[in-house]
Each structure stands twice: as C-alpha cells, then as structure tokens.
Amino acid sequence: MRDKTQTNSAAPGDRLIRAGAIVFFVGAVATLVTVAPLFLGTTPFPTYMFGLSMLMGVGFVIAGAGVLQSVAAGRRQARTAGR
C-alpha cells in the first residue's frame, strides 16, 4: 500500500499549478476591471492596470510549467518502476 499515492500528498508541480491559477485569476479580475470603463463610458484606468492584465498570461505560463514538471516526474517514476 505504500506505493499508492495518497490523496492529500502533493505531487511535483502542484504548487506551481496552484500559484499559476491564483496569478491567472488576479489577472482575469484586473482585465475585467480594466475593460469595464470602456463599456460603462467612464474614465479609463491608468496604464499600469493594463500591465496587471498581463498576469493572465504569466499565470498560464506558471501553471504550464507546473504541468510539465508533473509530467516529467511521472515519466521518471514510470522509468524507475519499469527497471
């Protein structure tokens, strides 16, 4: 039973995936806040808000790195189990 993965254990890359999801969510909220004045006819937000919108892409890349790290760890584990 020791070789089975526990449901509460953290696999490699899990933290990166969670961090990427949080950063992506912050970027998505910033994007909604930045675009809202364009539809509401109010004054637009400062330029740095458009920079915060780029966090969506950054979060996506961070989560993708976590997925790749998880895949690499799974391949290493499968390679060592096959020997």
Side-chain angles (χ1 to χ4, degrees):
M1 193 71 167
R2 285 186 198 204
D3 61 339
K4 303 293 181 195
T5 303
Q6 300 292 329
T7 57
N8 59 357
S9 66
D14 280 354
R15 286 189 213 144
L16 280 176
I17 294 170
R18 287 186 188 126
I22 292 169
V23 172
F24 183 87
F25 181 72
V26 170
V29 170
T31 300
L32 290 174
V33 168
T34 304
V35 173
L38 300 174
F39 293 115
L40 299 175
T42 60
T43 57
F45 284 100
T47 308
Y48 71 86
M49 286 299 290
F50 293 101
L52 284 177
S53 297
M54 298 298 165
L55 288 177
M56 283 179 66
V58 172
F60 189 76
V61 168
I62 292 171
V67 168
L68 291 177
Q69 187 178 14
S70 178
V71 167
R75 285 186 177 184
R76 277 192 301 271
Q77 185 179 11
R79 195 176 306 135
T80 57
R83 291 183 181 187

